[in-house]
Amino acid sequence: MLKMKNINKVYQTEKVQTHALRDFSLDVEEGEFIAVTGPSGSGKTTFLNIAGMLEPFTKGQYLLDDVDVGTLSDNQRADLRNQKIGFIFQGFNLIPDLNLYENVEVPLRYRGIKSAERKRRIENCLEKVGLASRAKHLPQQLSGGQQQRVAIARALAGEPRFLLADEPTGNLDSLMARQVMELLEDINREGATIIMVTHDAELARRAPRNIQVVDGQLADFTLYQSRPSGVVTPANVAVEA
Amino acid sequence: MLEIKPIFNAMRRSKVGAFMLLIQIAITTAIVSNAAFIIYDRLQYLQQETGYPEDEIFHFAVLTFGKDRNLSQQFEETETTLRNLPGVINAAAIQEVPLSGSGSASSFGINPTTEQGREGLEVTAAYTFGDEHAIDTLGVKIIAGRNFEQDEVIVAENNDVMPNVSIVSQSFLDEIYPNGDGLGQTIYLGDMPMTIVGVVDKMKGPWLRASIADNFLIIPFVSADNFQRMVVRTEASQRAAVMRQIEDTLLAEYDKRVIVGLQGLDESKREYNASDILMLRMLVVLITVLVLITALGIFGLTVFNINKRTRQIGTRRALGARKSDIVRYFIVENSMICIAGLLIGSIAAVYMGQALLELYSLPALDHNYVAITAAFVFVVSILSVLIPANRAAKISPSVATRSI
Amino acid sequence: MFIHYLDLSWRSLRRTPLISALMIAAIAVGIGITMTSLSVYHMMSMDPIPHKSDRLFHVQLNTMDEGRTWTTEDNLPYQLTYTDAMNLYNADFPERKTMSMRTGFSVHMNSSEVKPFLEGARATGREFFAMFDLDFVHGASWTENQQINASPVVVINQELNERLFGGENSVGRQIYLDDESYEIIGIVKNWEIHTKYYDLNNGAFNRMEKIFVPFSLVVSKELSSWGNTNGWKFEDVRTFQDHLQSEQFWIQFWAELDTPEEQQIYSDYLRTYLSEQATKGRFERETVQFALRNVNQWLEYNNVVTEDNRVLVGLSFMFLTVCLANILGLMLGKFLRRAPEVGVRRALGASKRQIFAQHLVEVSVLGLLGGLFGIGIAQLGLWGVRQTYSYYSALATMDTYMLLAAPAIAIGACVIAGLYPAWLVCRTTPAIYLKTQ
């Protein structure tokens, strides 16, 4: 479903050139649940942003459902993102002016879905994350875990086949983190492919496939998944500006 | 230690906002200095001395349609009636009212006009016909010579006998007899000779805006017409009361006539100058609001900058910056933009002044106005930045340490 | 989607009430000031008779000695002598042409019920009404016979008819002008124009006359001009007859020429006429000079739009620019602060175009609100103008066109000011705002 081949990403500022990803290659099959770990600054988020077409890449090839992303215009990428990809962020990124219902509605609006259908899907998604009764509340009236569940509902509303989560539990305590993780696992069981960036080794272990990004390159740790210690610390950690 | 370099770098990063502020300040300076100069010019014009006690004088016209009276006699009676009203100082039949925008003008020469034209000096001036009461009624002062004698005033039954004297304004006299020996000399209206018997220091003609505004003559002639203007001078405090009874009094005397255009001389002047007053008021409103808007713009932008840099300010405070350092930072930042804007604005103001001078009949811009305006805009900009900057200085150093 | 954007804009405005109020105030004041001077300009420069302004021509002839100058740019006097006006009027061509002059009477009803009052009047040819589109409510213009015989007949307008006869059909009744009785033969509609283009002598924006009489009465009743009478040489003018035969200029003359051919024919005619007159010794001229100016050219030639007003319009638009720079700065700040939200929207599938549109809708809403408040400010400004200068009272108003122009200019201006901030915000890479709060 997702094929990245020799992706490179270079950030260019006036004085410094930073190689965030180098020759990064990855294949993801439909229905996988992948946890991405790695030291901070190793390129995890860059990988996720490129996977979600939020950022262009410098070199390489990225096929999403056999579509060559590199050849698409910004608008086409936006449409593709809107149809296939759901995002979940560490900071939830709910829009503070909009109530829960309206927050979930945002991607549906950009897809041009009719109001009746939007209502059905939003209610459905809020139901799924257990917040249907609070649809009219504003984000700041909720706890962090609840906010993240809304963000997940928002990601699910578009019925994406591909869910990208960047530290979805980073701002949550462990109980809430577990709840969110369970929700993600449910979603995965229903068929969505999930890529989750996380710091939390315990959570990472719950994912069927673990990959580690080190210094902008991929180290596939699926094989070590059964080992209790799980993570090997790489010797060389890139320092980024 | 004014930290200009880091401020400049910070500005370069938000250059559009700074640039917009610069544009505002530049245009404001250009507009305000030119508008202030036009305002000053109009004020000078509006407040000039006319020679008349305008608040004591009023005028009106009598349109007689009855044909059963001798008009000359009728006006003699009317003048007497007017002079007998309590509060009235004097009254006169006059052909044209000064300052009113309506009058007659002609060229006067030191030689008569003949079939071949005229030789020698010619000066254009406005004139009015009036009787021996005209000088006193208009409240002007004869500084040399004398008033008309009663027998010099020609009361016209037909145009056969013409007056042969006149009283002129100093400025006309200086123009037609530049050597200062004009009093007693002769001037010609067409081929009609008149001796200058009196000089008035200042009496403006009917058109204040005209180049010949100061050239005015009174010729002793009463052409009793079915349309006759009258001027009346009263005590200033009595004028309104006298004006109220004019129509009834005069119609009681004889009713086959219409009294029109009853108006104070100051009001007539105001009406003639209404377009200048309008321009003046509009410009005052314009520059007041403009300065206000610019001040609000500076205020708004500073508030934004402060909001954007809340953490940065907190960090600076945490690292030991005093409140005054923070205030100074914003003042220096604003001043740098402001000075650049003022420089550009001043140049634009001068060019704009030149363009106005070329395109329209406006006087050349006095550059002092640009300098004063620039100083004023600078002070306003500092004041507009002080309020938000003081608020910024109150930002607690703890915001810097608070986590994401 | 548009409705949704409107909803978002409204929320956004309410979220930062102070800044929103500041921006709306800036636009409103800018538009208010601009519309005040622009409305006066618009009224001043408006074509008073749009469907035939290019077919009505004002005639100017130079009947002065060679080398004489006048106050006009081309040294042509504004008006004609009585001799020339009569000659042109009595010529066969064109069919519609007329001389005219402002005069006036004391009007009364020979009874004590109506107090006599002074009223301006127009002495003119019988074609005047048809030429200048003055429609009759009752009756008609005077006949050719009445004109030749200087019959005491008069046409009045509805307003005067209302005042004297309570608005009923008064054709056939009598009124007194200067103690002589005249028969009312027609009542015309009130003239709904603000520029007195047919006679600019007494100011372009004064009231129109309410009384019209045959021009032949000028001679028989020795009516004096209430406009300007100008001479260019010394003439001993003592009687009215002298005045009629003099070279003084005091009569306006208009001709209706429907096609370029007619204009050419008339130009040729005037050229021949002037050469003829020169040979009669009235004036010494070698070069023939005359001008036919249509209504708009005539207004332009007379500088009907005042210099002050042009300066004010210019300054107002500069003022508007300042207001725009002002809101541009504020919008930039406001939009950039919202970049994180935009990042989220982009991540959720919004295209750049959608983000751009959303922000343009927001600035348009600002513009619309500013424009509406601006109309209020402009009304206040125009009220001030009318209070200061009653002569402008018919001009200092906003017609439908200006009422629509105000929000249109406001929205247009805001969109221009909003383009850059909107572009900037839609262009930002969404990714950088997503990581942190």
Side-chain angles (χ1 to χ4, degrees):
Chain A
M1 145 162 226
L2 175 147
K3 266 194 207 323
M4 282 187 181
K5 217 172 158 189
N6 296 330
I7 295 285
N8 281 270
K9 174 73 185 179
V10 179
Y11 290 105
Q12 188 85 39
T13 58
E14 275 174 47
K15 290 167 194 150
V16 200
Q17 203 184 46
T18 315
H19 227 112
L21 290 181
R22 35 179 121 228
D23 295 334
F24 187 96
S25 300
L26 178 71
D27 276 8
V28 179
E29 297 299 323
E30 182 97 43
E32 278 198 277
F33 190 151
I34 303 176
V36 183
T37 54
S40 72
S42 59
K44 303 187 296 285
T45 299
T46 304
F47 155 66
L48 207 67
N49 286 341
I50 289 174
M53 294 173 289
L54 293 176
E55 273 185 69
F57 45 89
T58 319
K59 219 169 75 185
Q61 194 186 38
Y62 171 21
L63 300 177
L64 183 65
D65 281 340
D66 300 327
V67 177
D68 188 345
V69 172
T71 64
L72 299 179
S73 73
D74 185 84
N75 282 336
Q76 288 168 320
R77 284 203 297 271
D79 285 346
L80 202 60
R81 187 158 62 229
N82 185 273
Q83 281 160 19
K84 297 197 170 164
I85 299 175
F87 276 101
I88 302 163
F89 309 99
Q90 175 182 12
F92 325 134
N93 283 333
L94 297 177
I95 296 171
D97 291 349
L98 306 181
N99 64 29
L100 305 194
Y101 184 95
E102 291 160 335
N103 258 294
V104 178
E105 197 176 25
V106 172
L108 303 181
R109 285 218 182 240
Y110 288 120
R111 200 183 290 190
I113 292 172
K114 291 263 181 306
S115 131
E117 169 71 5
R118 285 205 303 264
K119 187 167 180 330
R120 190 190 66 75
R121 286 207 197 179
I122 295 163
E123 282 168 357
N124 194 11
C125 290
L126 283 174
E127 190 71 47
K128 199 178 278 176
V129 299
L131 287 168
S133 60
R134 314 193 68 170
K136 294 279 179 262
H137 288 225
L138 289 174
Q140 71 255 30
Q141 294 168 309
L142 304 181
S143 72
Q146 287 170 323
Q147 288 194 38
Q148 191 59 298
R149 273 148 56 196
V150 177
I152 293 172
R154 183 174 65 182
L156 293 179
E159 292 171 3
R161 290 170 44 228
F162 201 16
L163 212 55
L164 299 176
D166 192 357
E167 306 264 16
T169 59
N171 283 1
L172 304 178
D173 63 36
S174 57
L175 177 68
M176 284 183 175
R178 213 168 307 130
Q179 286 175 352
V180 166
M181 190 60 195
E182 276 159 16
L183 195 53
L184 289 178
E185 283 165 348
D186 285 347
I187 294 162
N188 178 242
R189 269 194 289 279
E190 282 167 29
T193 310
I194 298 180
I195 299 181
M196 175 179 78
V197 167
T198 183
H199 262 117
D200 188 330
E202 192 194 337
L203 281 185
R205 272 198 303 278
R206 291 176 63 160
R209 178 176 172 192
N210 273 21
I211 59 173
Q212 189 169 22
V213 182
V214 176
D215 197 13
Q217 282 177 314
L218 180 68
D220 198 328
F221 278 83
T222 321
L223 294 175
Y224 303 96
Q225 196 198 337
S226 56
R227 279 171 54 166
S229 57
V231 180
V232 172
T233 312
N236 56 335
V237 174
V239 179
E240 289 182 29
Chain B
M1 239 295 282
L2 278 176
E3 311 171 290
I4 286 179
K5 192 134 192 296
I7 293 176
F8 188 70
N9 287 338
M11 258 161 34
R12 277 181 47 201
R13 259 170 270 138
S14 60
K15 49 185 177 278
V16 176
F19 184 64
M20 285 303 127
L21 193 57
L22 189 144
I23 285 187
Q24 278 185 60
I25 289 173
I27 300 183
T28 303
T29 310
I31 295 183
V32 172
S33 45
N34 276 285
F37 183 64
I38 298 175
I39 289 172
Y40 171 77
D41 180 61
R42 294 291 157 107
L43 267 182
Q44 289 267 294
Y45 164 76
L46 289 173
Q47 290 174 347
Q48 67 184 324
E49 270 300 321
T50 59
Y52 309 104
E54 292 154 30
D55 57 341
E56 296 176 6
I57 297 172
F58 71 88
H59 63 94
F60 56 90
V62 183
L63 195 98
T64 314
F65 55 84
K67 305 244 157 98
D68 50 351
R69 295 279 177 102
N70 175 306
L71 283 175
S72 301
Q73 270 175 2
Q74 182 61 56
F75 279 109
E76 283 297 319
E77 275 174 47
T78 302
E79 280 190 32
T80 313
T81 311
L82 288 171
R83 283 183 205 120
N84 288 337
L85 286 175
V88 170
I89 296 171
N90 209 340
I94 199 167
Q95 183 206 18
E96 311 287 1
V97 180
L99 316 185
S100 67
S102 158
S104 307
S106 177
S107 60
F108 295 83
I110 50 173
N111 291 307
T113 312
T114 63
E115 286 293 311
Q116 283 75 43
R118 185 184 342 237
E119 287 169 9
L121 191 59
E122 253 187 359
V123 174
T124 307
Y127 63 91
T128 181
F129 296 143
D131 59 17
E132 72 277 18
H133 295 284
I135 292 288
D136 182 50
T137 308
L138 290 174
V140 291
K141 204 164 74 256
I142 293 181
I143 49 164
R146 58 171 176 84
N147 194 359
F148 302 124
E149 311 283 353
Q150 199 172 356
D151 61 352
E152 285 171 339
V153 179
I154 307 300
V155 178
E157 300 303 327
N158 54 54
N159 285 16
D160 288 342
V161 188
M162 295 304 283
N164 54 16
V165 293
S166 79
I167 294 176
V168 305
S169 69
Q170 181 75 54
S171 120
F172 171 76
L173 189 71
D174 292 345
E175 219 175 304
I176 197 153
Y177 284 106
N179 299 331
D181 56 351
L183 186 62
Q185 302 261 30
T186 304
I187 51 170
Y188 292 86
L189 170 60
D191 59 355
M192 183 179 102
M194 293 179 296
T195 308
I196 299 172
V197 296
V199 183
V200 170
D201 58 344
K202 195 172 205 58
M203 55 175 181
K204 294 271 184 185
W207 307 286
L208 271 181
R209 221 173 284 129
S211 57
I212 56 158
D214 282 306
N215 293 358
F216 197 44
L217 283 77
I218 299 177
I219 298 169
F221 186 73
V222 179
S223 150
D225 198 356
N226 63 347
F227 186 83
Q228 181 63 51
R229 290 201 179 84
M230 311 285 296
V231 265
V232 180
R233 182 153 71 95
T234 65
E235 307 288 346
S237 58
Q238 304 275 314
R239 194 181 72 175
V242 174
M243 282 172 77
R244 270 196 296 279
Q245 42 179 316
I246 288 294
E247 187 165 8
D248 291 343
T249 310
L250 294 197
L251 290 187
E253 185 190 280
Y254 178 59
D255 67 350
K256 287 191 174 175
R257 53 186 181 179
V258 187
I259 311 298
V260 290
L262 182 68
Q263 202 172 43
L265 191 60
D266 44 2
E267 183 57 30
S268 308
K269 181 178 142 188
R270 198 153 44 239
E271 224 167 68
Y272 175 75
N273 286 330
S275 63
D276 298 279
I277 298 172
L278 179 67
M279 180 76 167
L280 190 81
R281 289 191 185 170
M282 288 196 75
L283 287 177
V284 168
V285 170
L286 190 115
I287 60 174
T288 312
V289 180
L290 182 60
V291 170
L292 215 65
I293 288 278
T294 307
L296 282 178
I298 296 170
F299 174 84
L301 215 63
T302 316
V303 169
F304 263 127
N305 280 338
I306 288 166
N307 286 340
K308 209 165 66 186
R309 298 186 210 152
T310 304
R311 277 175 62 81
Q312 189 197 26
I313 294 165
T315 311
R316 278 168 184 275
R317 292 276 283 134
L319 294 177
R322 282 172 304 172
K323 284 189 177 183
S324 61
D325 295 326
I326 303 295
V327 174
R328 198 178 56 197
Y329 178 89
F330 283 103
I331 287 185
V332 171
E333 181 183 68
N334 174 73
S335 304
M336 283 166 60
I337 300 172
C338 191
I339 288 169
L342 289 177
L343 280 177
I344 296 172
S346 302
I347 296 166
V350 172
Y351 275 103
M352 197 170 137
Q354 273 169 11
L356 285 174
L357 179 69
E358 275 164 32
L359 287 174
Y360 305 111
S361 55
L362 292 170
L365 175 67
D366 180 346
H367 291 183
N368 285 337
Y369 278 80
V370 182
I372 295 169
T373 304
F376 175 69
V377 171
F378 187 76
V379 171
V380 169
S381 86
I382 296 289
L383 290 178
S384 326
V385 103
L386 264 182
I387 303 165
N390 273 320
R391 220 174 62 184
K394 293 201 184 83
I395 290 174
S396 154
S398 66
V399 290
T401 53
R402 231 169 267 152
S403 68
I404 322 169
Chain C
M1 215 56 191
F2 180 69
I3 305 288
H4 178 55
Y5 290 154
L6 281 181
D7 180 42
L8 289 179
S9 310
W10 182 240
R11 286 165 193 256
S12 161
L13 293 185
R14 279 197 325 196
R15 192 175 169 201
T16 53
L18 182 72
I19 295 296
S20 304
L22 212 63
M23 288 196 276
I24 292 173
I27 305 158
V29 168
I31 289 294
I33 297 261
T34 307
M35 292 319 287
T36 303
S37 55
L38 199 63
S39 295
V40 175
Y41 178 84
H42 171 69
M43 288 297 189
M44 276 183 172
S45 60
M46 193 189 267
D47 188 339
I49 181 162
H51 63 282
K52 65 191 293 190
S53 56
D54 56 343
R55 290 184 285 138
L56 287 174
F57 289 85
H58 186 270
V59 180
Q60 284 173 282
L61 304 176
N62 194 339
T63 55
M64 301 188 293
D65 287 351
E66 196 90 49
R68 289 277 176 171
T69 59
W70 203 254
T71 54
T72 50
E73 57 195 61
D74 51 5
N75 283 320
L76 275 172
Y78 293 108
Q79 303 184 90
L80 303 187
T81 63
Y82 177 76
T83 316
D84 292 322
M86 281 302 130
N87 287 343
L88 294 192
Y89 187 65
N90 292 327
D92 295 333
F93 185 84
E95 199 182 316
R96 278 180 180 175
K97 56 193 178 297
T98 188
M99 64 269 140
S100 90
M101 178 195 89
R102 181 172 160 85
T103 180
F105 303 99
S106 47
V107 180
H108 60 111
M109 305 296 290
N110 209 19
S111 74
S112 53
E113 282 160 39
V114 180
K115 200 162 124 185
F117 57 92
L118 195 66
E119 195 61 67
R122 184 143 296 272
T124 185
R126 56 192 295 270
E127 299 83 354
F128 186 86
F129 308 97
M131 282 176 73
F132 294 103
D133 269 5
L134 258 178
D135 296 333
F136 280 86
V137 187
H138 303 293
S141 184
W142 47 86
T143 63
E144 190 142 11
N145 262 334
Q146 286 171 323
Q147 181 157 301
I148 293 167
N149 300 330
S151 306
V153 290
V154 60
V155 170
I156 61 173
N157 80 346
Q158 277 180 307
E159 191 186 336
L160 192 61
N161 189 47
E162 188 67 38
R163 177 168 176 184
L164 295 174
F165 302 102
E168 63 187 62
N169 184 353
S170 60
V171 169
R173 313 235 334 225
Q174 303 286 315
I175 62 169
Y176 285 81
L177 304 179
D178 283 354
D179 236 21
E180 281 185 63
S181 165
Y182 287 71
E183 184 192 345
I184 295 170
I185 52 161
I187 293 153
V188 286
K189 286 185 180 159
N190 294 332
W191 216 341
E192 304 290 350
I193 52 173
H194 14 261
T195 311
K196 206 176 156 189
Y197 62 99
Y198 58 86
D199 178 8
L200 299 169
N201 277 307
N202 305 71
F205 310 114
N206 271 317
R207 300 286 307 271
M208 317 296 152
E209 291 83 9
K210 298 171 189 157
I211 299 174
F212 303 86
V213 295
F215 194 82
S216 39
L217 289 169
V218 170
V219 181
S220 65
K221 307 276 189 217
E222 303 199 347
L223 300 177
S224 57
S225 168
W226 280 21
N228 290 339
T229 302
N230 308 93
W232 52 274
K233 63 173 180 182
F234 177 71
E235 289 175 288
D236 196 6
V237 176
R238 299 200 177 198
T239 63
F240 200 81
Q241 203 55 42
D242 290 345
H243 177 51
L244 293 179
Q245 282 161 5
S246 74
E247 290 297 329
Q248 292 173 337
F249 306 119
W250 51 288
I251 298 166
Q252 303 105 48
F253 199 91
W254 287 85
E256 188 173 328
L257 304 167
D258 290 331
T259 60
E261 291 74 38
E262 288 191 11
Q263 290 156 29
Q264 189 55 47
I265 295 171
Y266 202 51
S267 296
D268 293 343
Y269 165 75
L270 291 177
R271 197 168 290 119
T272 321
Y273 171 77
L274 280 175
S275 317
E276 253 173 47
Q277 292 298 311
T279 59
K280 290 184 180 169
R282 279 176 58 200
F283 47 88
E284 287 169 27
R285 265 197 98 72
E286 297 272 311
T287 47
V288 171
Q289 196 199 4
F290 65 93
L292 286 174
R293 289 192 163 85
N294 71 27
V295 172
N296 288 320
Q297 290 165 337
W298 179 239
L299 294 178
E300 174 80 29
Y301 179 76
N302 280 275
N303 294 318
V304 161
V305 178
T306 61
E307 220 171 64
D308 278 0
N309 191 253
R310 286 178 206 269
V311 172
L312 277 178
V313 169
L315 288 181
S316 311
F317 272 100
M318 286 177 74
F319 182 98
L320 192 61
T321 316
V322 172
C323 295
L324 287 190
N326 195 318
I327 52 174
L328 202 159
L330 292 176
M331 269 193 291
L332 203 62
K334 187 179 163 93
F335 285 3
L336 286 186
R337 269 215 312 184
R338 204 194 288 154
E341 180 191 322
V342 171
V344 176
R345 288 183 178 276
R346 293 276 283 140
L348 295 176
S351 65
K352 276 185 189 173
R353 202 186 303 139
Q354 285 168 319
I355 297 293
F356 191 66
Q358 180 196 333
H359 286 86
L360 279 194
V361 169
E362 180 166 344
V363 297
S364 305
V365 168
L366 272 176
L368 181 67
L369 290 174
L372 294 180
F373 283 111
I375 290 178
I377 294 178
Q379 292 295 358
L380 204 70
L382 290 170
W383 175 81
V385 171
R386 292 193 294 268
Q387 291 302 309
T388 310
Y389 199 8
S390 59
Y391 176 58
Y392 275 6
S393 53
L395 296 174
T397 53
M398 291 177 93
D399 59 5
T400 327
Y401 186 74
M402 283 288 118
L403 284 173
L404 292 177
I409 294 176
I411 292 174
C414 282
V415 166
I416 291 170
L419 279 179
Y420 178 72
W423 177 74
L424 206 63
V425 77
C426 83
R427 196 188 58 130
T428 46
T429 334
I432 52 170
Y433 294 106
L434 299 174
K435 186 75 179 170
T436 54
Q437 271 179 302

